[in-house]
Amino acid sequence: MLDHRWLHAFSIVAEELHFGRAAQRLHLSQPPLSKTIRKLEAQLGAALLIRTTRSVKLTAAGAELARRIRQLSVDAEAMEAAVRQTARGEIGRLALGITPSAAYSNFSEVLYEFRQRYPTVRLDLREMNSSDMPDALHRRQLDMAILRPPFADPDLAPQRVYDEPMVAAMRKDHPLAGRRWVTMKQVLAHDLIGYSRENSRYFSQILQMMIGATGAPARIVMESMIPTILTLVAAGFGIALVPAALSTVRGDIMTYVGIRGPGAMRAELFVARQPASVNPAVDRLMEVIRDMNGK
């Protein structure tokens, strides 16, 4: 392996093309410098310099070595910067699981802000059901997950990052449309579209709690999941209770009415992280979440 001191000495000679000036920069006398260059040439088996009493020129091999030394210096600086940035979570990769219903929350703004602050962190977004995320975190397939609370195991350090009211989604020609608020008893007097227990367990539980709080029966005509449930509402099958963030969907034919009184509830989103995670980008995303929630 080439001695890095020899390479440094040669790089200075290649810059100066003058042994006297190069020796001054290296704080050496010329004889030791000349000896160093000869040792380097001997190890490489190639002449690097053409020396005359008046000038010093690079051979083709010398020019190539000088170019590669410059590139090594650039690469070393880039390596040092990359290592420091990675340690600070400013570069690298972040595998993030996100539950489909979160796409309608303000979390898209969080991701936008994160990308503005840390453009060199590659976000690997994976849409997953909340029920699948804890296992993916434990298997280190994800660094973080945005999921619904029933699945946020304690060892995943869950933190609530967002909540919003559940509202009643209905067609604009529905009898309850045009009101600002309704009660759950008023909602339950009409056909209701429920949630699939298999594919949307969290919202199925929320719906059952909202119904149970009224003591009134519900006419659930079919079950679905977000966002398909809104298609069924638009088709006139009934009312659906959905997170308020969905109230921007299909505003041409649908309206969203707030719920007051017994049974009114809020939907929550939690962030969870891989146990013993060493990815500092996780902490950077958490900082952005806290900053955005503080606004």
Side-chain angles (χ1 to χ4, degrees):
M1 187 173 180
L2 296 175
D3 190 319
H4 73 278
R5 293 170 297 180
W6 297 358
L7 294 175
H8 177 60
F10 172 76
S11 69
I12 299 301
V13 174
E15 288 177 16
E16 295 291 345
L17 293 178
H18 190 283
F19 270 84
R21 290 194 297 270
Q24 287 179 349
R25 285 180 58 182
L26 293 165
H27 306 290
L28 296 172
S29 60
Q30 288 190 44
L33 178 57
S34 296
K35 186 177 180 180
T36 295
I37 300 302
R38 285 195 296 272
K39 285 180 180 179
L40 180 59
E41 289 176 320
Q43 184 163 348
L44 290 172
L48 302 174
L49 299 169
I50 300 172
R51 308 169 183 82
T52 67
T53 55
R54 288 186 163 186
S55 67
V56 176
K57 296 180 180 179
L58 294 172
T59 64
E64 177 63 14
L65 179 60
R67 183 188 70 80
R68 288 181 177 268
I69 290 173
R70 288 193 298 271
Q71 187 59 50
L72 282 173
S73 177
V74 171
D75 290 345
E77 290 177 1
M79 176 187 67
E80 182 178 341
V83 169
R84 288 176 175 169
Q85 286 181 300
T86 300
R88 294 192 298 261
E90 298 171 357
I91 194 171
R93 172 181 169 274
L94 182 64
L96 177 66
I98 184 166
T99 188
S101 59
Y104 300 93
S105 72
N106 74 338
F107 199 71
S108 58
E109 291 298 313
V110 170
L111 294 179
Y112 177 80
E113 179 64 21
F114 180 82
R115 293 182 66 242
Q116 296 305 300
R117 294 189 195 183
Y118 307 108
T120 51
V121 175
R122 184 169 68 86
L123 274 175
D124 180 8
L125 296 180
R126 305 181 191 180
E127 187 177 65
M128 302 173 67
N129 287 330
S130 293
S131 58
D132 297 328
M133 293 189 204
D135 185 60
L137 287 166
H138 286 295
R139 291 176 178 272
R140 300 183 181 274
Q141 296 168 348
L142 295 176
D143 295 304
M144 293 183 73
I146 305 300
L147 72 172
R148 295 298 176 178
F151 307 98
D153 300 338
D155 66 326
L156 300 176
Q159 297 182 45
R160 189 178 69 177
V161 294
Y162 184 70
D163 69 89
E164 59 186 324
M166 296 290 288
V167 299
M170 63 193 74
R171 285 182 57 89
K172 286 185 175 179
D173 56 5
H174 191 278
L176 295 180
R179 304 188 184 197
R180 185 176 181 186
W181 304 97
V182 292
T183 66
M184 276 300 298
K185 282 193 174 182
Q186 290 172 318
V187 169
L188 295 180
H190 299 269
D191 289 345
L192 191 64
I193 304 169
Y195 288 94
S196 165
R197 293 175 179 83
E198 180 180 355
N199 298 317
S200 192
R201 194 173 99 190
Y202 174 69
F203 286 107
S204 177
Q205 291 175 349
I206 287 277
L207 178 60
Q208 292 306 314
M209 286 188 285
M210 294 178 75
I211 294 171
T214 67
R219 298 201 307 265
I220 297 179
V221 295
M222 60 179 61
E223 294 183 341
S224 185
M225 61 185 294
I226 293 172
T228 311
I229 197 168
L230 294 179
T231 301
L232 300 178
V233 173
F237 285 99
I239 296 174
L241 303 180
V242 300
L246 271 70
S247 60
T248 58
V249 179
R250 292 307 308 268
D252 54 335
I253 61 171
M254 291 171 56
T255 188
Y256 300 82
V257 181
I259 299 172
R260 278 184 172 175
M265 292 191 67
R266 301 180 71 86
E268 297 177 319
L269 273 177
F270 276 60
V271 62
R273 57 194 297 166
Q274 184 189 112
S277 172
V278 295
N279 186 347
V282 170
D283 296 321
R284 301 293 80 78
L285 181 55
M286 287 302 303
E287 289 173 1
V288 173
I289 290 171
R290 285 192 289 269
D291 290 347
M292 297 292 287
N293 284 345
K295 288 184 178 180

